Amino acid sequence: MFCLACVNSPGPEECIGKEIESDSFWVYDGTCLKNADLGLDEDGVRKITNEDQYSIFTDCLPENPEVDFTISYVLVIKTPPRTSFPFIQEIKLIETCIQQYKIQIEIIETMFQEANVSKYVFVNLPIEIPEPKIEIIWL
């Protein structure tokens, strides 16, 4: 009866995020990307908000999908290099139960050995979604 301030909110162990539909693709770090000044930050991430910034990538990757920068932006994420050939299993945009967002990238380390192979992940996000946290999971 005196519980006016009680709120029935889930605890951390009960909080399960929900996946939100998003467009994404990935590419290997080919010669063109290795030689270009991509403007990635120290974590290997760049937020692309206009066509001029995107052109660096479209020059190297002519199959990039078109982006309407009036309603969305592209987040570019470079996966850390490994000594095995990485295979991206899944790219998910997840909204947590506290209205925050994260991009979850699941990568399988294959048995094929290759030095310093990275991939670039591109995620097209609506502008109303703030820049999400990035979580890379090696399987």
Side-chain angles (χ1 to χ4, degrees), residues 3-4 7 13 16 19 21 28 33-34 38 44 51 73 81 90 92-93 97 101 106 108-109 111 124 135:
C3 195
L4 296 175
V7 177
E13 65 281 347
I16 299 174
E19 186 173 353
E21 188 175 325
Y28 287 104
L33 289 173
K34 285 182 181 177
L38 304 178
E51 196 63 49
Y73 66 96
E90 198 164 14
K92 299 179 194 175
L93 174 62
C97 50
Y101 297 89
E106 295 178 0
I108 296 173
E109 285 193 80
M111 62 183 175
N124 189 351
E135 182 178 284

Side-chain angles (χ1 to χ4, degrees), residues 54-72:
Y54 197 51
S55 69
I56 295 167
F57 298 96
T58 56
D59 289 348
C60 288
L61 310 166
E63 298 297 318
N64 278 2
E66 289 194 29
V67 177
D68 182 353
F69 287 104
T70 62
I71 60 170
S72 61

Side-chain angles (χ1 to χ4, degrees), residues 76-97:
V76 180
I77 305 152
K78 182 179 180 182
T79 64
R82 296 285 194 151
T83 57
S84 65
F85 216 65
F87 175 77
I88 294 186
Q89 176 77 20
E90 198 164 14
I91 302 166
K92 299 179 194 175
L93 174 62
I94 299 172
E95 180 181 10
T96 67
C97 50

Side-chain angles (χ1 to χ4, degrees), residues 25-36:
F25 68 97
W26 55 265
V27 296
Y28 287 104
D29 62 343
T31 304
C32 183
L33 289 173
K34 285 182 181 177
N35 294 334

